Amino acid sequence: MGRILAKHRISGFLAGLLVLTGVFFGETLKAAASFSSMQPQALGRAGVHALWDQHPELTGEGLNVSVVARSFNYTSQGLPANDYLPDLQHNSLTLAAIQTTDGQTAEPGVSPHATNVCSILMGRDGAGYHESLGEFQYQGVLPDAQTLVYGYEAFMWDVVFAEGDLDADVLSINWGWTQPGKWSRGLDALIDREGLAVVGSIGNGSDTDSPTLYPGACDNVIGVGVVDAVSSDQMETALSTFGLALPEHSSCGPTEDQRCKPDLVAPGNCLVAVAGEPNQYEMSGNWSSYAAPVVAGVAGLLVQAGQQDPNTEAILASSSGNCLVKSLLMNSATKLPYWHKGALTADDDADVPLDYAQGAGMVNAERAYEQLMAGQQTAGVVASSGWDFNTVSPGETAVRIYQFEVSDPCDQKLTATLNWNRHYSEAADNFNRIEELDADLRLELWAVDPNNVLEAVRVAVSDSAVDNVEHLYTDLPEGYTVYEVQVILNDSDLLAEDFAEAYALTWDVRKPQLQDDILWYDLNTDGVVNTMDSQVMLNYWNASLESSAAYAIGDVNNDGVINEQDLRILASKANMQAEWYQ
């Protein structure tokens, strides 16, 4: 490990103070169920506040979290200026258990970006104030976690390239580059070796052609895009109310090799600590850099909860434990308006598992926790909600079947997510892909007549040739009450007899959210439906005509195209206003 240049250890006195502060916050969480006086409010939209309302003990206690920060500035020779540190003198971070390491000879400096990220992840300030917001309590997602902030160079050389141990439960990387290489493959190899849940930002697109960034675009990383805040001059509204993931601000898939990214999205406009100003906070803006720590925090909450069960703890500690975290996050995500697989068509694109802007949807901490608590259920007869961590191999176990019953399938949807790791060689071989060890899995949903199994009907399939994720979001057909989710190993007859691939599967059946969300019509998210929204729809319509592959929103009636019918529907909603509109 690189030379420790700065440490922030909690003395006995401060530790006692932290415990008291934790108790204070815990009691506050129980007493103030609305969380209206807490920041960042983006955590409420991500379901964190709703989860805390039921489980205030989930604050990251006992977790080890790592953050990889890059220098904020570079010298004229292109060398890092070593200003990667969070400002540990800010009120929100003075009690945080943070250590830092960078391995550089230059003295370290403070990074505004790292300060912002760390305040979202583990900030805590019981006496926050902003002139536009008044007094508030500030609490990041994991304020009680032990945190190690790496400078990029130390992380790469001392951990990735050296194939060193990383004592972490969750890793957050909140920046990206357009070009993959040995460094990104090495990160994928690290994940595959240790089963570590790694979250990376996907990039801040300027249009649909903006590339997805690495490491968010890595195979085994949880890639996160940003959901924009609504367009409001009121700071309180902009910090608490969010719209859609837009290609103008959040990089969209597919990747250059046609994989789906991001994996999911999160609100990014958070109230964050201002470096160099111990008492000050500001809005971060709509950047994926700040959506990623929200998701990393939720991943940490799941790990903390999962560690309470010895069986789940063992799974999370395994070399594929990250797959379970990723699958839980994705399967529980909220589908925002205009979610669709792949290209804008009426068909369910079986070979494209995710939406190119939303991934599986927006992170939902409360639902992810519920999905985890549904419990592991091995293949066979299962409940209509649950998860499994298992393997597929050639022969009898090339297909794993999960059969469940739904007494009233009317208006219910199944969501199912399958994740597994890609495999990479060691550093001596430049972390190259080991394709002969990579499985190609398929995910299917079948409707079954128990009295006539030969009349089973395949309802939906997700079968990407390039992704290591498969995802289903589909209606349950009427006339049946028994259904099967099947995990299938493709081309199993071509694989070695001892081949085995570990996977995580999650599934859930529930009624979808209401369709008549104003975000279907308020396309510029200014709170009112008018001619400006029609212009936005026209712009997306033109983009879809110029390129069928361009990501577009505006297909209000879900018929696979944007046309006059959608404009007429939009016109019928003229003057519709959001609750927050003033």
Side-chain angles (χ1 to χ4, degrees):
M1 184 174 289
R3 183 167 63 93
I4 300 291
L5 292 177
K7 294 184 179 180
H8 189 75
R9 297 188 183 276
I10 305 176
S11 67
F13 171 76
L14 285 180
L17 181 60
L18 180 57
V19 170
L20 291 175
T21 306
V23 171
F24 167 74
F25 267 82
E27 292 302 319
T28 302
L29 293 178
K30 294 175 184 176
S34 68
F35 296 92
S36 58
S37 63
M38 293 194 72
Q39 291 291 344
Q41 276 292 305
L43 302 187
R45 189 68 179 93
V48 174
H49 291 170
L51 179 56
W52 280 345
D53 188 34
Q54 300 298 318
H55 298 280
E57 75 280 3
L58 293 178
T59 56
E61 184 176 0
L63 288 182
N64 292 319
V65 177
S66 291
V67 176
V68 180
R70 287 187 61 195
S71 289
F72 192 69
N73 292 294
Y74 286 77
T75 67
S76 57
Q77 291 78 34
L79 299 175
N82 208 28
D83 50 347
Y84 77 101
L85 289 171
D87 182 1
L88 300 181
Q89 302 306 309
H90 192 277
N91 288 354
S92 68
L93 296 176
T94 55
L95 292 177
I98 297 177
Q99 297 183 17
T100 62
T101 178
D102 56 35
Q104 298 295 303
T105 56
E107 285 300 311
V110 167
S111 162
H113 187 267
T115 303
N116 297 163
V117 167
C118 287
S119 64
I120 295 170
L121 264 173
M122 67 282 303
R124 175 177 270 163
D125 180 1
Y129 177 80
H130 191 283
E131 60 182 1
S132 297
L133 301 172
E135 297 179 352
F136 55 83
Q137 298 173 26
Y138 193 93
Q139 182 161 309
V141 197
L142 302 171
D144 293 327
Q146 300 288 318
T147 305
L148 177 58
V149 179
Y150 284 90
Y152 168 76
E153 288 76 17
F155 179 72
M156 283 294 127
W157 288 104
D158 297 339
V159 178
V160 176
F161 296 151
E163 298 179 289
D165 294 331
L166 183 62
D167 184 17
D169 299 297
V170 176
L171 174 67
S172 184
I173 305 180
N174 315 287
W175 44 264
W177 288 329
T178 57
Q179 295 300 318
K182 180 180 178 180
W183 71 276
S184 60
R185 297 193 303 273
L187 180 59
D188 266 332
L190 168 69
I191 298 169
D192 183 40
R193 183 174 72 246
E194 298 199 5
L196 174 66
V198 177
V199 179
S201 52
I202 203 65
N204 307 302
S206 58
D207 53 45
T208 55
D209 295 325
S210 295
T212 53
L213 301 185
Y214 291 82
C218 285
D219 291 307
N220 299 335
V221 171
I222 303 170
V224 179
V226 62
V227 176
D228 276 16
V230 296
S231 302
S232 173
D233 294 332
Q234 301 297 315
M235 186 175 184
E236 185 174 2
T237 300
L239 285 169
S240 62
T241 314
F242 295 84
L244 302 173
L246 301 174
E248 303 96 301
H249 299 146
S250 186
S251 296
C252 294
T255 62
E256 188 174 343
D257 57 358
Q258 299 305 300
R259 289 177 296 111
C260 282
K261 284 287 179 172
D263 295 297
L264 70 168
V265 292
N269 189 34
C270 299
L271 196 70
V272 293
V274 177
E277 300 290 344
N279 304 311
Q280 290 191 20
Y281 295 86
E282 64 185 1
M283 289 198 299
S284 65
N286 299 310
W287 305 103
S288 62
S289 289
Y290 307 122
V294 172
V295 174
V298 175
L301 297 179
L302 292 179
V303 173
Q304 182 188 359
Q307 288 177 344
Q308 307 309 307
D309 177 85
N311 180 61
T312 306
E313 182 181 25
I315 291 172
L316 292 171
S318 73
S319 61
S320 298
N322 63 293
C323 296
L324 176 58
V325 176
K326 188 174 182 179
S327 192
L328 290 167
L329 288 170
M330 294 177 68
N331 207 63
S332 58
T334 301
K335 300 291 190 289
L336 300 176
Y338 295 108
W339 187 92
H340 59 82
K341 283 187 172 188
L344 183 59
T345 64
D347 298 328
D348 178 19
D349 298 335
D351 58 344
V352 180
L354 304 174
D355 182 282
Y356 284 146
Q358 295 185 33
M362 185 172 68
V363 67
N364 186 325
E366 181 183 30
R367 191 174 291 179
Y369 177 85
E370 292 173 355
Q371 182 82 72
L372 173 64
M373 291 298 108
Q376 183 178 12
Q377 300 165 53
T378 57
V381 178
V382 297
S384 60
S385 180
W387 57 268
D388 191 22
F389 183 80
N390 214 323
T391 61
V392 283
S393 303
E396 293 182 1
T397 57
V399 180
R400 298 284 191 181
I401 298 176
Y402 301 79
Q403 186 182 95
F404 56 89
E405 186 172 353
V406 180
S407 58
D408 182 16
C410 182
D411 297 327
Q412 302 244 48
K413 278 185 174 288
L414 168 105
T415 310
T417 306
L418 176 66
N419 276 289
W420 66 101
N421 281 335
R422 292 292 187 214
H423 307 296
Y424 291 79
S425 65
E426 298 178 346
D429 192 34
N430 290 316
F431 301 116
N432 289 316
R433 275 274 299 276
I434 311 176
E435 295 190 9
E436 60 269 25
L437 295 183
D438 283 339
D440 179 18
L441 304 186
R442 186 165 80 248
L443 185 62
E444 297 184 353
L445 173 66
W446 288 75
V448 179
D449 182 352
N451 299 316
N452 189 353
V453 294
L454 297 179
E455 294 299 321
V457 175
R458 192 172 74 172
V459 178
V461 59
S462 181
D463 188 17
S464 169
V466 293
D467 290 279
N468 56 326
V469 57
E470 302 293 355
H471 185 72
L472 296 175
Y473 181 65
T474 185
D475 295 319
L476 294 179
E478 297 182 9
Y480 296 87
T481 58
V482 179
Y483 303 89
E484 291 180 354
V485 170
Q486 299 186 5
V487 176
I488 303 169
L489 177 61
N490 286 330
D491 302 322
S492 62
D493 57 327
L494 302 179
L495 300 171
E497 291 184 4
D498 61 349
F499 181 94
E501 184 65 81
Y503 68 85
L505 171 71
T506 50
W507 67 92
D508 185 50
V509 175
R510 67 176 63 216
K511 291 185 181 294
Q513 58 264 35
L514 294 177
Q515 175 79 6
D516 201 30
D517 188 317
I518 191 173
L519 292 175
W520 284 97
Y521 321 110
D522 182 20
L523 300 184
N524 67 346
T525 65
D526 64 354
V528 60
V529 181
N530 54 29
T531 56
M532 288 188 287
D533 299 299
S534 299
Q535 185 58 56
V536 173
M537 181 177 284
L538 286 171
N539 293 340
Y540 277 109
W541 185 1
N542 288 333
S544 68
L545 293 175
E546 292 176 3
S547 172
S548 59
Y551 185 86
I553 62 175
D555 179 22
V556 184
N557 61 359
N558 278 318
D559 65 354
V561 293
I562 303 173
N563 55 24
E564 296 91 343
Q565 296 180 21
D566 299 299
L567 280 172
R568 283 196 291 269
I569 295 173
L570 191 64
S572 72
K573 301 293 182 177
N575 300 318
M576 183 179 182
Q577 295 182 1
E579 292 181 2
W580 54 266
Y581 180 71
Q582 296 181 354

